[in-house]
Every structure is written in C-alpha cells, then in structure tokens.
Amino acid sequence: MKPGTTPPSLSDMNEWNQWLQSIGNEYAELMQQLSDRSGTSEIGKTVNDSIKKTLQASAQALLTDPQALYQAQMRLFQDQFALWQQNLSGNLNDSDNAESEPIIAPGKGDRRFRHEAWQSKPIHRHVRDQYLLFSRLINDVVSNINGLPKEEHQNLKFFARQYVNALSPSNFFNTNPEVMNLTGESKGKNLIEGMALLREDLGNSVEGINMTMTDRSAFEIGRNVAMSSGSVVYENELIQLIQYAPSTEKAFKTPLLVVPPWINKYYILDLRQDNSMVKWLVDQGHTVFLVSWRNPGPKQRHITWADYMQLGLIKSMDAIEQATGEKSVNLLSYCVGGTLAATTIAYLTSTDQASRIRSVTYMTTLHDF
C-alpha cells in the first residue's frame, strides 16, 4: 500500500468480498454455458473448417516465399528496439521532445485507445504500442504473401483482421485502464452486469451469438410490430409470401409485390398503425404481397444471387398469379431488395417476360456499385 493511503474499512472489505464472490459465481455460470455450447454449433464447425483450409494454404505459400516473413519480422524487431529506447529515455514525457515522432500510433478512426491513460500512463502506452506493432506485422505478412488464390487471400485477410482485433489490449480487463477505473468505482458491478448480459445473449442464440441491440420486451407482435392482418400464401426454402387484403370497397386490379431487404425483417414496413406502410397501402386499395426472407444458415450456403431472384421474386410472382389470376404486378422495393428487383427486371426483359412487371418503385436503392 502506498504511503498516505487510507486502508479500506472493514465494511468496505466485506462489500468487496461479496462483489468478488458474485463475480466468481457469474463467471463460473458463464463458463459452464459456453462449455455446454462448444462443439455443437454448425456455424462454428463451418468457420473452423474454412479457417483451417485458409491457414494451410497460407503456410504453404509462405514456405515458397519466406523472405516476406523475414522482412516483416526484422521490421518488428527494429521497431520494438526503438520503442524500448524511446520509452526508457522518456522522450514522450519530455517537454523538450514533445514533437518527436512516435514509433507507431493508432489510426485516426481507432476509437479503442481514446482514453487519456493510453497516452499518459507509460505501462498502458507501451502495451498499446506493442500491440500496434504486432498488428502491423500481421498485416504486412498477410498483404505481401504471394501464391494464394484471390479468394483464399481475401479469406486470410478477413481472418487475420478478426484475430488481431480480438487480441487488442482494450478487450482485456487487466490491460484496459478505462475498464479498471470503472470496476473500482462500481466495485465490480460493471463486470457482473456485463457477464449477465452475455449469458442472456447466449440464451437467446441458437448458434453463435446474437448480441442484443434493443430492449426485446419493448416490442410485441400485433401491438407495435407486424400490426396488419395478413396470411402466408406461399413459402419455399428462402421466403414466406404474406398477403394483405385491401381495406377499401374497391381495389386496384394489379397486385402490389413489396420486396424488403433481407437484412431486415418484413415488419420494418409494418410497425404501429400510425407508421405502417402496409396499412397505408391497403387503405389506398392495394392488394399487398410482402416477402419475408429467411435468415440463412450454413445449410443455405449454396444459395446464390440468382436463387434470391428465382426463389424470391419470380416464385412470388408465380404464387401471386395463382392466388389472384393476375399475370403482372407492381413492384415496391427497398434497399438491397431494390437492387434485386432491378436484377429481376433485367432478367425478365432479356427472356421476353417484361410484361410481368407493370411498374417498379425503388426506395433507398443503390444500382451503380
């Protein structure tokens, strides 16, 4: 204990012991939950196989060109030596050398090291800089490796980036000054709450982990999401097609097919009554058909863009014709659903089926990539 430091009171010690016990219990339950899931995820097995294949190909490529690895290692050694010299001489804390160039620094958009302790505290600054040097080593080796097919090279860059990001000192309690300060201030409550939230996310995830982005209890189907009354009239491996009847006495003859992006649920267009596009459309007299996309998993890895067109839009138009007798539709598309709609129209035009589309509307759609 530092001279002049007031020792914690007995009541403080008892409180700390209680929090430490709570942290230990929460951690043990989290580890048990992770252990129960290990080896059972189909997604995890698929990813592991892909990583293994890429790393084997990369190792073979490095054997044919060891010079790239040697040069990167030499640069790391030289930079580490210079970093030790700089830290030992105290250049970064010396006002006479305030403008001396750092050996390495975080990128302008790197938010992980914004806390002032990463710069002002020598130990945290050194840990940060060593990590950044290691990151640059990995990036240099991966970027300069030769002899890999383009797809394998892209996979290697992706896996390397995830690996390097995972090792960031900002991700670990004992090397993150901001987390350490918060833990002291809250007496460990932040760790307990964090592990409890992670366990909750794991409990809500069938495979992998789905991080909670919103308050799940704030939404209820039929109350403030998916308000309009509809029914599924067709489904296949990729979609369910929902039909909504017009609420007016007279209706438009041509059905309206709505194509949302598959990164959103269909009910992005059918929230509460006062902001439901589906309700507004049926109130105008449209017979609305809305595509609900499946969340793809490893079993759908064979599905291509062409399948999204065939199984999504074209099969939907077939089902609409069977349900209504109408041979053409009006298209309303949103985001990447609009990009798919444009692709489908081009395909139908090239195969003399352009008459199946009477009109098309694009919302927030990018065509020229």
Side-chain angles (χ1 to χ4, degrees):
M1 183 177 295
K2 294 181 180 180
T5 302
T6 303
S9 65
L10 183 60
S11 61
D12 287 338
M13 290 297 295
N14 289 336
E15 187 176 1
W16 266 106
N17 285 334
Q18 290 175 359
W19 283 118
L20 287 173
Q21 185 176 356
S22 298
I23 291 172
N25 292 339
E26 196 71 44
Y27 181 77
E29 292 181 15
L30 174 61
M31 290 299 101
Q32 182 61 50
Q33 195 170 355
L34 289 171
S35 176
D36 292 341
R37 292 165 59 91
S38 65
T40 62
S41 169
E42 188 173 353
I43 291 177
K45 293 176 181 177
T46 302
V47 171
N48 288 336
D49 290 343
S50 180
I51 294 174
K52 183 178 179 181
K53 177 185 175 183
T54 298
L55 291 181
Q56 287 176 339
S58 304
Q60 292 176 351
L62 274 177
L63 288 175
T64 62
D65 184 22
Q67 188 67 18
L69 179 59
Y70 172 76
Q71 290 175 345
Q73 287 177 324
M74 286 301 299
R75 182 184 183 187
L76 175 65
F77 174 76
Q78 293 167 356
D79 287 340
Q80 284 181 323
F81 184 73
L83 181 63
W84 276 104
Q85 283 185 314
Q86 190 175 68
N87 288 343
L88 289 174
S89 65
N91 278 346
L92 293 179
N93 291 325
D94 190 339
S95 59
D96 295 333
N97 296 283
E99 296 184 359
S100 62
E101 285 292 326
I103 303 302
I104 196 167
K108 290 183 179 180
D110 195 337
R111 299 166 57 90
R112 298 172 296 177
F113 305 109
R114 294 196 306 173
H115 192 274
E116 57 87 21
W118 291 110
Q119 179 63 29
S120 62
K121 304 293 184 183
I123 182 63
H124 290 301
R125 186 178 67 242
H126 183 73
V127 169
R128 178 202 68 185
D129 291 348
Q130 286 283 9
Y131 164 75
L132 292 174
L133 289 176
F134 169 76
S135 301
R136 189 166 67 185
L137 166 71
I138 298 297
N139 183 64
D140 287 348
V141 172
V142 169
S143 298
N144 296 322
I145 194 170
N146 294 315
L148 272 181
K150 182 179 180 180
E151 182 178 350
E152 290 290 1
H153 204 176
Q154 290 175 337
N155 288 344
L156 179 62
K157 289 180 179 178
F158 174 79
F159 293 139
R161 186 165 62 249
Q162 307 312 311
Y163 171 70
V164 167
N165 288 342
L167 292 180
S168 171
S170 61
N171 292 336
F172 299 92
F173 167 77
N174 59 342
T175 53
N176 187 319
E178 192 171 2
V179 174
M180 293 176 70
N181 290 344
L182 181 59
T183 301
E185 293 170 1
S186 68
K187 297 184 179 179
K189 292 181 182 179
N190 61 317
L191 301 182
I192 296 173
E193 292 173 356
M195 286 187 285
L197 290 173
L198 177 55
R199 289 180 55 216
E200 184 179 339
D201 286 340
L202 287 170
N204 292 326
S205 305
V206 177
E207 290 188 317
I209 178 170
N210 297 320
M211 303 298 292
T212 299
M213 305 297 288
T214 188
D215 180 5
R216 293 175 182 268
S217 64
F219 300 95
E220 181 182 343
I221 293 177
R223 181 174 64 86
N224 52 12
V225 292
M227 282 291 296
S228 301
S229 178
S231 57
V232 175
V233 295
Y234 171 77
E235 66 179 9
N236 58 36
E237 182 182 5
L238 194 57
I239 70 162
Q240 286 186 328
L241 185 66
I242 307 170
Q243 180 178 357
Y244 303 87
S247 60
T248 54
E249 291 185 7
K250 293 184 178 181
F252 289 102
K253 183 174 183 291
T254 304
L256 179 64
L257 174 58
V258 183
V259 187
W262 43 90
I263 57 173
N264 296 116
K265 295 297 186 183
Y266 72 91
Y267 45 72
I268 191 72
L269 300 171
D270 183 33
L271 300 174
R272 299 181 303 276
Q273 289 290 326
D274 58 348
N275 66 348
S276 168
M277 173 162 273
V278 170
K279 182 180 185 305
W280 184 86
L281 289 169
V282 297
D283 286 348
Q284 309 310 306
H286 291 284
T287 301
V288 176
F289 290 85
L290 181 59
V291 175
S292 175
W293 299 101
R294 177 180 187 167
N295 285 336
K299 291 182 179 179
Q300 286 74 46
R301 59 179 173 265
H302 64 282
I303 291 179
T304 66
W305 183 268
D307 293 318
Y308 271 81
M309 180 181 69
Q310 293 287 349
L311 296 175
L313 269 66
I314 292 178
K315 287 296 184 182
S316 290
M317 287 189 284
D318 292 342
I320 291 171
E321 182 177 352
Q322 185 173 356
T324 67
E326 294 298 322
K327 296 183 179 298
S328 61
V329 300
N330 293 313
L331 272 180
L332 173 62
S333 55
Y334 176 31
C335 194
V336 73
T339 312
L340 181 65
T343 306
T344 305
I345 292 171
Y347 169 77
L348 292 175
T349 301
S350 69
T351 55
D352 297 324
Q353 301 180 70
S355 61
R356 300 188 72 178
I357 308 293
R358 292 203 59 176
S359 72
V360 60
T361 302
Y362 300 105
M363 298 191 297
T364 64
T365 295
L366 181 63
H367 288 302
D368 187 354
F369 286 83

